[in-house]
Amino acid sequence: MARLFRQTSLLLALSLTLAVSALAAASADETARLGKDLTPFGAEKAGNKEGTIPAWDGGIATPPAGYQKGMHHPDPYAADKPLFTIAAADADKYADKLTDGYRAMLKLYPSFKMKVYPTRRSAAAPQRLYDATRNAAAKAQLTTGGNGVTGVSAGIPFPLPKNGSEAIWNHILRWRGNAFERNFVVAPLTRGGDYTPVEFKEIGDFRYNKEGMTEEKLDNIIAMFKQEIFAPARLAGRILLVHETLDQNKENRSAWLYNPGQRRVRRAPNVAFDNPKEGGDGLTTSDTVDMYNGSPERYDWNLVGKKELYVPYNSYALHSGKLKYKEILTPLHLNPDHLRYELHRVWVVEAKLKPGMRHIYQRRVFYIDEDSWQILAMDQYDSRDQLWRVSEAHCINYYEVPVFWSTVETHYDLQSGRYIAINLTNESTPYNFDVKFEATEFTPDALRREGRR
């Protein structure tokens, strides 16, 4: 009986693999739509029929007047006024435009509100990424089980996604610049609003999407990150190094950790899936950094469809260097006076834990921006299928690149009343994308050289 069960399971897995493989590269007719009725990244170029979502006109492709590199980015929409504010009493009125997570937060926290502004489709990328996406659309294929991508080395691989695996890989492989460095704060808050800031320095090198890159040159490594903790004292000196892979069937991500107490560099295979995030006080997992990262192998991914929802967008006010952390970080949730929400079309992707797989989230629902493939919001459910955590990415167009990416991520634990804010830069310097790194910066030997007690 056990042998028959294994054979049946193998046949089922094979059929699912073949089904995923059959939904491969886009046809010539589909690819021809990119840059015409669809944007170069596959979004609907036209606005909606109500006129509440405008047409995409290229986003912000150049910095506004007065911007200088190194500044906190001036808000190009500072003159906008809120169209309306959604509070707990209004939740039912706007229910069809709210995620389950936002409806829950409005019900649970009377102090939470959503100030809705005019929709500005600001997302943009360099022309070479648009060209690379057209090329990728005709060649990209999922590997076995949807656990990787082949045939590409740049561009959005599946601008016309046919399943949830393709959509989540679009997020993982989206344009985030060539490289970056940043100093930021992570704040895990108690229910009462107290926190000890965790100070990080991080550098990253995105090999996928670099000009002139080939799949052979990638050697299966799409990105490399290195981050060091400087405070508090109990965590200071810890350095994490990660190599992210394109085909997780060939090799899962590699990670190493320098521990100053031991003065040793060790492999860190647990920096993945639901292992707690470094410095996160147990409020979020490794695979929710950047909203989702790493192998998708533990979930079945369903592309639910596209929907118009109120989501965080153009969060320049939250990004401002004029704000202090104490003005942003309030009990239960971020200070809503500094948040901006807009109506956008998002792809809805539902991930359900596969039978026999382990993760603290039994189900997750992702809301992915059609213009950039950035996950903007996420609902996470526990083993009882009860809503547990709600996450959001407050994004801006870093128009000097240009690239659309988060400035702050928040992960709300509705069961404990706690939350964590990640990547705060208001009291430091914003991301610097004008950097280049040698590959030797991202090796275990580099960790040994940099490590100190």
Side-chain angles (χ1 to χ4, degrees), residues 8-313:
T8 303
S9 298
L10 287 171
L11 287 172
L12 178 59
L14 179 60
S15 66
L16 289 172
T17 297
L18 291 174
V20 169
S21 299
L23 299 170
S27 69
D29 288 343
E30 290 175 320
T31 303
R33 298 178 61 194
L34 299 175
K36 294 181 180 178
D37 66 304
L38 300 179
T39 72
F41 278 178
E44 296 174 49
K45 185 178 285 188
N48 63 1
K49 62 181 181 180
E50 294 83 6
T52 50
I53 296 176
W56 183 80
D57 62 2
I60 307 177
T62 57
Y67 170 76
Q68 296 180 359
K69 286 186 177 182
M71 296 173 63
H72 283 84
H73 298 69
D75 186 353
Y77 309 121
D80 286 353
K81 303 298 182 185
L83 300 173
F84 52 87
T85 298
I86 306 173
D90 309 302
D92 289 343
K93 178 181 177 181
Y94 299 102
D96 64 326
K97 297 291 193 294
L98 294 172
T99 68
D100 288 348
Y102 286 134
R103 287 197 295 272
M105 287 188 64
L106 288 164
K107 180 179 180 180
L108 189 61
Y109 303 138
S111 54
F112 180 67
K113 58 185 178 181
M114 300 172 69
K115 297 166 73 174
V116 177
Y117 288 79
T119 298
R120 307 290 191 176
R121 296 178 70 178
S122 60
Q127 181 61 45
R128 70 174 183 84
L129 270 299
Y130 298 151
D131 297 338
T133 295
R134 179 182 291 272
N135 181 63
K139 297 179 179 179
Q141 293 186 331
L142 293 173
T143 60
T144 303
N147 204 33
V149 181
T150 186
V152 292
S153 57
I156 301 298
F158 309 105
L160 294 91
K162 299 178 176 66
N163 57 62
S165 294
E166 291 184 351
I168 203 67
W169 274 108
N170 286 347
H171 167 80
I172 293 170
L173 296 174
R174 75 197 189 283
W175 168 242
R176 286 171 287 173
N178 289 320
F180 72 92
E181 63 179 0
R182 60 186 179 185
N183 293 282
F184 63 92
V185 161
V186 169
L189 278 77
T190 66
R191 188 179 181 89
D194 296 325
Y195 67 94
T196 298
V198 184
E199 299 177 19
F200 285 82
K201 178 179 180 180
E202 183 177 28
I203 61 173
D205 190 75
F206 296 111
R207 303 180 74 241
Y208 185 91
N209 281 323
K210 281 196 174 179
E211 192 167 7
M213 185 57 68
T214 65
E215 199 169 0
E216 183 179 9
K217 289 179 183 178
L218 274 179
D219 194 25
N220 207 36
I221 305 296
I222 58 175
M224 300 181 290
F225 306 95
K226 184 169 61 177
Q227 81 179 196
E228 181 175 359
I229 300 178
F230 287 93
R234 61 185 173 81
L235 298 176
R238 292 171 68 88
I239 310 175
L240 175 66
L241 171 66
V242 174
H243 290 182
E244 206 64 90
T245 54
L246 181 62
D247 185 350
Q248 301 267 344
N249 292 320
K250 291 182 179 178
E251 181 184 12
N252 288 328
R253 76 149 51 111
S254 298
W256 298 263
L257 184 66
Y258 173 78
N259 187 314
Q262 299 173 337
R263 293 190 177 183
R264 295 186 64 182
V265 173
R266 293 182 178 273
R267 281 273 190 173
N270 289 332
V271 179
F273 302 112
D274 57 357
N275 189 65
K277 171 189 160 37
E278 279 283 297
D281 203 22
L283 287 171
T284 190
T285 60
S286 291
D287 64 4
T288 51
V289 173
D290 197 31
M291 300 300 279
Y292 188 82
N293 69 84
S295 170
E297 66 186 32
R298 295 191 180 183
Y299 289 90
D300 289 318
W301 300 84
N302 176 38
L303 187 63
V304 177
K306 197 180 286 188
K307 193 171 184 180
E308 295 181 6
L309 294 173
Y310 297 121
V311 287
Y313 220 94

Side-chain angles (χ1 to χ4, degrees), residues 383-448:
S383 60
R384 302 165 299 166
D385 203 31
Q386 300 294 309
L387 184 61
W388 180 5
R389 289 173 176 167
V390 176
S391 302
E392 53 183 3
H394 296 272
C395 298
I396 66 171
N397 179 336
Y398 295 86
Y399 32 64
E400 75 277 22
V401 183
V403 61
F404 188 83
W405 199 10
S406 61
T407 179
V408 177
E409 285 182 27
T410 49
H411 304 276
Y412 298 102
D413 189 320
L414 304 188
Q415 296 177 10
S416 69
R418 301 186 64 196
Y419 74 97
I420 184 170
I422 298 174
N423 301 341
L424 292 157
T425 62
N426 307 77
E427 296 182 27
S428 59
T429 55
Y431 299 7
N432 178 10
F433 294 95
D434 193 20
V435 290
K436 293 182 179 180
F437 300 108
E438 298 295 329
T440 52
E441 286 273 5
F442 301 94
T443 63
D445 285 342
L447 261 64
R448 294 185 183 97

